Amino acid sequence: MIDLRLLREDPDRARASQRARGEDVDLVDAVLSADERRRSSSVRFDELRSEQKQLGKLIPKAEGDEKAELLRRAGELASAVKAADTEKDEAAAETQQLLSRLSNLVHPDVPVGGEEDFTVLETIGTPRDFAAEGFEPKDHLELGQKLGAIDVERGAKVSGSRFYFLTGVGALLELALVNAAVAQATEAGFTPMLTPALVKPQAMEGTGFLGQAAQDVYRLDKDDMYLVGTSEVALAGYHMDEIIDADRLPLRYAAFSPCFRREAGSYGKDTRGIFRVHQFDKVEMFSYIDPEESQAEHRRLLQWEKQWLTSLELPFQVIDVATGDLGSSAARKFDCEAWIPTQGKYRELTSTSDCTEFQSRRLSIRMRDGKRVKPLATLNGTLCAVPRTIVALLENHQQEDGSVWVPPVLRPYLGGREALEPVAK
């Protein structure tokens, strides 16, 4: 959540941030009003308690009518102290509840607008000219079926729409992608992790996924647990309620996990194939770092994503995501979008967000720098979201005969295969 002191000192910045996101601006003043009630009731409580203590010292020394009057006043004070304590606690709870609804303050350089108002920062690689090569590209589902790699019909039969099986070389391709991605992350200094897919409400709420993203979350009512939409949730919760010594930072983790998303609001979008699904696997990077280093770390995470997509020899563009398309916890987000030939456009493959101190305040994760203890910064970045990466690989590296060229980075994990070949029917 936002630093309450910063909100008091510069409320206009918070109002501008809410306005840029297209969110409730009045919420800022509601927080400030509740905070003022909390502080004034706290002062009143302290004053009454002080008077109560002083009175407590006088009563044993008093006699007769004076003592009776002091006892009467003590009774009044006891009721007043109790009422002030209740008012203070209620105002504090209201302040925290309202504060938790405020999204992170957006970075001043983030472009303002909705989903389509992003800024393209750079374009890497050139889309293939299939017309010049003399054939029309097939989409990933047709290719995957010819390769014996993707089975959406049986996925729907077993689990419903937007589920799938990866079979044969499809399964091997996922394992190759995961192993290659984890190898890159490990070489860069990340600690590999396998994380829980089920988390407590505290972890989900603390990372900001029970706000605007709540409609996409699967909840197990009987157990009061949530299925994660990304291992970011488990990785952020890994150090909750801890104080980390500054000389241990940065801490960097790379987690492989299943991810589950309802895809609420996406009815009719990307229904063909495996581009938008309810369950998928992902390798996620996560950093804990000093807040003063968060912007530099954000660029490093982006560079590792670019390195990964370049190693897969995919054409892609990097965008600075607009304010209205940021998650509630992100101050800034960069996406890498790969070219999808049969769609004729770039689509998101990876994303990296600088969450500054927003998540660490909610999860009570702090750093100790000498005698000073303060919130640290958290950042996340997708290294490989498997199904979308398979989509991009199949479509961009397909050959006229239906085979698919394998980038050298994946060959050691595919038994040396240089191409995936169609299976005989």
Side-chain angles (χ1 to χ4, degrees):
M1 60 183 66
I2 298 172
D3 183 352
L4 189 52
R5 183 174 56 183
L6 189 152
L7 194 65
R8 291 190 210 108
E9 293 173 351
D10 192 2
D12 285 342
R13 180 183 172 193
R15 293 186 188 104
S17 179
Q18 287 289 102
R19 189 176 298 108
R21 286 176 174 274
E23 297 178 7
D24 184 6
V25 177
D26 292 338
L27 187 56
V28 175
D29 294 302
V31 173
L32 292 172
S33 177
D35 180 50
E36 177 56 37
R37 290 196 302 277
R38 178 191 66 82
R39 288 191 291 163
S40 61
S41 60
S42 182
V43 169
R44 174 164 171 74
F45 172 77
D46 290 341
E47 290 173 344
L48 290 170
R49 280 288 292 143
S50 177
E51 185 179 350
Q52 190 179 44
K53 288 177 182 178
Q54 291 300 318
L55 200 63
K57 294 176 182 178
L58 296 175
I59 290 173
K61 302 174 185 178
E63 295 180 354
D65 291 345
E66 181 186 4
K67 188 166 188 174
E69 176 61 25
L70 290 175
L71 288 171
R72 185 192 64 77
R73 177 57 182 156
E76 292 177 347
L77 275 174
S79 298
V81 166
K82 185 177 180 180
D85 191 30
T86 299
E87 184 182 354
K88 171 174 66 73
D89 290 345
E90 289 177 351
E94 183 183 2
T95 301
Q96 288 301 305
Q97 188 273 329
L98 291 168
L99 191 60
S100 70
R101 289 168 51 194
L102 277 177
S103 295
N104 201 356
L105 298 176
V106 298
H107 187 281
D109 292 341
V110 175
V112 176
E115 185 177 356
E116 301 302 322
D117 296 312
F118 58 82
T119 299
V120 177
L121 300 178
E122 60 180 319
T123 301
I124 297 171
T126 304
R128 283 172 62 184
D129 186 346
F130 284 94
E133 295 181 35
F135 75 100
E136 185 172 340
K138 302 177 178 66
D139 76 6
H140 74 277
L141 183 56
E142 184 178 353
L143 289 164
Q145 290 171 334
K146 289 181 181 296
L147 295 170
I150 301 172
D151 192 333
V152 294
E153 287 80 8
R154 291 186 176 90
K157 178 176 71 174
V158 171
S159 301
S161 63
R162 298 188 192 269
F163 287 92
Y164 62 97
F165 284 88
L166 291 181
T167 57
V169 294
L172 294 176
L173 182 55
E174 159 151 352
L175 294 173
L177 285 165
V178 169
N179 277 287
V182 171
Q184 178 190 300
T186 303
E187 185 177 353
F190 286 80
T191 299
M193 302 275 276
L194 295 175
T195 58
L198 282 167
V199 299
K200 298 177 180 179
Q202 182 185 1
M204 192 68 81
E205 175 69 35
T207 44
F209 284 95
L210 294 186
Q212 62 185 196
Q215 63 177 352
D216 265 339
V217 175
Y218 285 100
R219 181 171 184 265
L220 281 67
D221 292 342
K222 185 176 179 180
D223 305 283
D224 196 18
M225 300 276 280
Y226 292 89
L227 283 166
V228 297
T230 166
S231 60
E232 171 194 343
V233 178
L235 290 172
Y238 188 63
H239 287 295
M240 65 181 173
D241 300 319
E242 295 182 20
I243 298 175
I244 302 170
D245 288 333
D247 58 9
R248 292 182 59 198
L249 300 176
L251 289 173
R252 297 188 179 110
Y253 302 110
F256 169 72
S257 77
C259 306
F260 304 87
R261 300 184 184 181
R262 289 187 182 278
E263 291 296 345
S266 64
Y267 181 79
K269 293 169 61 178
D270 300 310
T271 55
R272 180 172 168 81
I274 63 171
F275 190 86
R276 191 185 298 274
V277 291
H278 291 307
Q279 178 184 341
F280 61 97
D281 295 326
K282 181 158 67 92
V283 177
E284 181 82 0
M285 301 178 289
F286 196 89
S287 298
Y288 293 88
I289 200 164
D290 189 311
E292 294 180 3
E293 289 291 317
S294 72
Q295 291 186 49
E297 182 73 357
H298 198 198
R299 292 287 181 174
R300 283 189 285 266
L301 288 169
L302 176 60
Q303 188 58 43
W304 283 313
E305 291 178 346
K306 289 164 56 180
Q307 176 188 339
W308 170 245
L309 295 180
T310 300
S311 75
L312 296 177
E313 303 191 31
L314 296 172
F316 66 96
Q317 67 179 14
V318 180
I319 68 169
D320 199 347
V321 176
T323 53
D325 200 27
L326 292 175
S328 64
S329 59
R332 193 175 195 181
K333 182 168 74 165
F334 301 127
D335 284 356
C336 292
E337 301 182 326
W339 179 256
I340 307 298
T342 61
Q343 295 187 22
K345 58 184 176 182
Y346 290 97
R347 300 298 304 273
E348 177 192 339
L349 244 61
T350 73
S351 179
T352 177
S353 298
D354 181 0
C355 297
T356 60
E357 303 165 28
F358 187 82
Q359 293 176 333
S360 68
R361 287 182 182 277
R362 297 163 74 102
L363 293 166
S364 188
I365 310 169
R366 294 169 290 168
M367 59 177 286
R368 180 184 285 109
D369 190 1
K371 294 183 179 180
R372 186 185 180 196
V373 175
K374 64 178 184 179
L376 44 65
T378 61
L379 301 95
N380 62 80
T382 307
L383 191 54
C384 181
V386 174
R388 290 192 176 198
T389 306
I390 288 176
V391 169
L393 282 171
L394 296 185
E395 293 208 10
N396 282 284
H397 295 323
Q398 64 181 290
Q399 307 301 310
E400 189 172 6
D401 62 2
S403 65
V404 176
W405 177 79
V406 175
V409 70
L410 297 180
R411 292 175 189 173
Y413 306 100
L414 283 167
R417 283 183 177 86
E418 295 184 4
L420 307 180
E421 302 288 347
V423 294
K425 292 189 177 180

